[in-house]
């Protein structure tokens, strides 16, 4: 906006401080731009008026302020010579009746279904109000039923439905209903999409699974099928996108507290791919999440064996100590402690010395007193004190660290 043009203050949204394009009034009488107030109400899950701080009812009742919108449009027209473009008249929000009719008509023919999905995609892209209306009108269950269809001819519609469902950003209640949809059949369908779908659909599938598992009861998570872990590992390997990688790591963090899931993740090759990911990882959050999963998997014998089987396993874990964050330090030292206590053969201890793990642990000992990570480092050094003292690679002050 040209700063020399005097914009009437009541044209400005009090939340975004930008000129309104679609002014709407909430129940407290304050007018906002629709996009800004929707972001405040739905994305931030705030249920108060930003200006008055008064609570708003569950039905937010965003009433279009047609008078103000016409004034803004007239002002834009009057200032067209200054390069101001006229704000177009916004589309009215969709109604439950319209959505319900679209869903009913979709069953008439394959062409009707394709047209329905195309219209739902367009409706969802217009506003957050439309997306919440779709959710309230049964669109979530409708889209889930399409994704769960097993016919090969349905795959194009499955991809479209999955994209729409992902972009709806549905509520926690809807996510919980998806977990139990057709007795858990949607999870199996999403696993199939991750196996056979295009890259974009595979990413949408793991993102949706991550959201579902975040709100799931633990009883739904402790015995996940092996096939899902195979596909999660494949997504880590393919590096579809950073967002998909984060979602995959978060999903593994949610699933791997349970022993059965850990064994299946290890069997699927998860430890190997986590090490490969760490080798090239410089981003703090991703390093932390990768080490969290690796720590979980190294709590079982199979996980430790896979870590030691990888030529760079001990080296990359040791390398991350004191180079990423406190969280990474804690997890990396925990991994080394698991290996030392349960798999600390003479050859493993020598490898730990050679790759610098023991030297890193000595550096950890110089950290603040009382640190749990420091105590774990001391425990490792005490376990293998003799081998460390006989190594030329260790500092001469090693004894002081063990006092």
């Amino acid at each position: 906006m040209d700063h020399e043009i005097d914009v009437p203050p009541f044209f400005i949204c009090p939340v975004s401080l930008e000129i309104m394009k679609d002014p709407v009034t909430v129940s407290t009488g304050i007018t906002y731009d629709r996009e800004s107030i929707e972001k405040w109400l739905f994305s931030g899950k705030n249920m108060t008026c930003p200006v008055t701080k008064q609570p708003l009812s569950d039905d937010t009742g965003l009433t279009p302020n047609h008078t103000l919108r016409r004034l803004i449009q007239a002002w834009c027209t009057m200032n067209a010579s200054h390069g101001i473009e006229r704000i177009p008249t916004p589309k009215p929000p969709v109604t439950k009746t319209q959505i319900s009719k679209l869903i009913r008509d979709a069953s008439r023919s394959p062409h009707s279904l394709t047209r329905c999905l195309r219209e739902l995609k367009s409706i969802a892209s217009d506003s957050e109000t439309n997306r919440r209306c779709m959710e309230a009108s049964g669109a979530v269950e409708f889209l889930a039923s399409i994704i769960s269809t097993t016919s090969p001819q349905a795959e194009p519609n499955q991809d479209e439905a999955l994209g729409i469902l992902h972009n709806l950003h549905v509520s926690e209640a809807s996510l919980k209903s998806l977990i139990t949809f057709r007795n858990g059949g949607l999870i199996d369908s999403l696993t199939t999409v991750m196996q056979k779908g295009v890259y974009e659909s595979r990413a949408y599938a793991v993102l949706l699974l991550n959201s579902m598992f975040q709100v799931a009861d633990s009883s739904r998570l402790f015995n996940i099928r092996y096939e899902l872990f195979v596909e999660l590992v494949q997504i880590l390997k393919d590096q579809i996108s950073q967002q998909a990688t984060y979602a995959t790591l978060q999903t593994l963090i949610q699933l791997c507290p349970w022993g059965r899931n850990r064994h299946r993740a290890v069997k699927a090759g998860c430890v190997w791919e986590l090490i490969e990911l760490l080798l090239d990882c410089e981003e703090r959050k991703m390093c932390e999440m990768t080490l969290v999963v690796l720590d979980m998997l190294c709590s079982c014998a199979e996980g430790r064996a896979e870590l030691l089987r990888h030529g760079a396993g001990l080296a990359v874990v040791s390398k991350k100590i004191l180079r990423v964050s406190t969280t990474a330090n804690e997890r990396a030292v925990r991994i080394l402690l698991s290996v030392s206590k349960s798999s600390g053969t003479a050859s493993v201890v020598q490898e730990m010395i050679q790759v610098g793990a023991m030297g890193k642990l000595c550096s950890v000992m110089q950290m603040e007193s009382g640190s749990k990570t420091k105590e774990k480092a001391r425990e490792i050094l005490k376990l293998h004190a003799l081998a460390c003292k006989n190594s030329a690679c260790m500092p001469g002050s090693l004894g002081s660290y063990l006092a």
Side-chain angles (χ1 to χ4, degrees):
M1 187 69 63
D2 191 332
H3 294 294
E4 295 181 359
I5 300 174
D6 192 15
V7 182
F10 50 89
F11 286 7
I12 304 298
C13 175
V15 175
S16 63
L17 302 181
E18 296 179 354
I19 192 167
M20 298 190 207
K21 298 178 180 179
D22 184 7
V24 293
T25 304
V26 298
S27 58
T28 59
I30 305 297
T31 297
Y32 302 92
D33 184 66
R34 182 183 293 278
E35 183 179 355
S36 299
I37 192 62
E38 284 182 348
K39 185 179 295 185
W40 167 265
L41 293 171
F42 300 121
S43 300
K45 297 182 180 179
N46 299 294
M47 291 308 296
T48 58
C49 174
V51 171
T52 67
K53 309 303 180 185
Q54 294 177 353
L56 300 172
S57 60
D58 290 339
D59 181 10
T60 53
L62 302 182
T63 306
N65 190 330
H66 296 299
T67 301
L68 181 57
R69 189 249 308 158
R70 293 189 187 103
L71 284 172
I72 294 172
Q73 288 176 323
W75 179 86
C76 290
T77 301
M78 291 171 58
N79 289 276
S81 60
H82 298 286
I84 305 298
E85 295 184 6
R86 184 180 184 274
I87 295 171
T89 301
K91 296 179 183 178
V94 72
T95 65
K96 288 184 179 181
T97 303
Q98 290 172 297
I99 299 296
S100 298
K101 185 177 185 303
L102 263 178
I103 293 173
R104 284 196 308 271
D105 292 347
S107 60
R108 292 181 178 178
S109 68
H111 176 71
S112 298
L113 176 58
T114 302
R115 181 166 53 81
C116 170
L117 291 173
R118 187 166 54 245
E119 291 190 34
L120 288 177
K121 183 178 181 179
S122 175
I123 290 168
S125 67
D126 279 344
S127 70
E128 188 67 29
T129 296
N130 282 359
R131 290 190 281 275
R132 299 286 70 82
C133 180
M134 288 173 61
E135 182 176 353
S137 305
V140 173
E141 294 76 10
F142 170 68
L143 295 168
S145 68
I146 296 172
I147 298 167
S148 300
T149 304
T150 56
S151 169
Q153 291 78 15
E155 286 184 11
N157 288 331
Q158 284 178 318
D159 291 338
E160 190 75 12
L162 182 55
I164 298 169
L165 187 54
H166 165 74
N167 290 319
L168 282 181
H169 303 293
V170 297
S171 66
E172 181 175 323
S174 289
L175 288 171
K176 286 184 175 180
S177 72
L178 290 176
I179 295 167
T180 57
F181 185 79
R182 294 185 179 174
N183 198 26
L186 181 61
I187 296 175
D188 293 338
S189 297
L190 291 173
T191 302
T192 302
V193 171
M194 290 164 64
Q195 180 184 30
K196 299 179 179 180
V198 297
Y199 268 24
E200 186 176 40
S201 293
R202 292 173 67 198
Y204 285 155
V206 73
L207 287 164
L208 182 56
L209 278 171
N210 180 40
S211 298
M212 290 163 59
F213 289 159
Q214 283 184 21
V215 301
D217 294 332
S218 58
S219 60
R220 294 275 176 183
L221 300 180
F222 75 90
N223 195 18
I224 297 295
R225 291 177 58 196
Y226 169 71
E227 289 77 9
L228 176 57
F229 290 102
V230 171
E231 299 313 320
L232 291 172
V233 170
Q234 192 61 46
I235 286 182
L236 288 180
K237 184 176 182 178
D238 291 344
Q239 292 290 289
I240 294 174
S241 68
Q242 189 177 64
Q243 190 180 20
T245 298
Y246 277 127
T248 303
L249 291 170
Q250 186 61 49
T251 300
L252 289 167
I253 289 171
Q254 294 171 85
L255 296 180
C256 288
W258 289 273
R260 290 180 180 179
N261 290 342
R262 287 198 294 269
H263 292 304
R264 287 167 185 163
V266 172
K267 183 181 177 182
C270 192
V271 171
W272 194 276
E273 290 309 323
L274 291 171
I275 294 169
E276 292 293 317
L277 185 60
L278 271 180
L279 284 170
D280 298 319
C281 185
E282 298 295 337
E283 203 274 323
R284 180 187 62 80
K285 184 180 177 183
M286 188 174 293
C287 282
E288 290 176 349
M289 293 174 71
T290 305
L291 286 166
V292 167
V293 182
L294 199 54
D295 177 29
M296 290 178 172
L297 299 185
C298 284
S299 66
C300 65
E302 298 93 331
R304 293 189 294 274
E306 284 296 294
L307 176 77
L308 296 174
R309 191 173 70 85
H310 194 296
L314 286 174
V316 72
V317 170
S318 305
K319 181 182 177 182
K320 297 302 178 182
I321 297 175
L322 302 179
R323 295 187 63 174
V324 180
S325 68
T326 301
T327 299
N329 294 342
E330 178 190 358
R331 291 295 178 165
V333 172
R334 281 170 57 102
I335 292 168
L336 296 180
L337 180 59
S338 294
V339 171
S340 296
K341 292 175 73 172
S342 305
S343 309
T345 62
S347 60
V348 168
V349 175
Q350 283 304 311
E351 183 181 352
M352 290 175 69
I353 293 172
Q354 290 168 5
V355 301
M358 296 302 190
K360 278 291 186 78
L361 294 173
C362 288
S363 298
V364 169
M365 295 299 297
Q366 300 174 11
M367 293 167 57
E368 229 178 280
S369 62
S371 164
K372 291 182 179 180
T373 304
K374 179 178 177 179
E375 292 306 311
K376 290 181 174 63
R378 178 184 283 111
E379 186 175 353
I380 298 170
L381 292 171
K382 281 186 174 181
L383 279 171
H384 309 297
L386 182 60
C388 292
K389 286 178 180 178
N390 293 334
S391 173
C393 301
M394 298 302 298
S397 57
L398 176 63
S400 64
Y401 297 138
L402 306 180

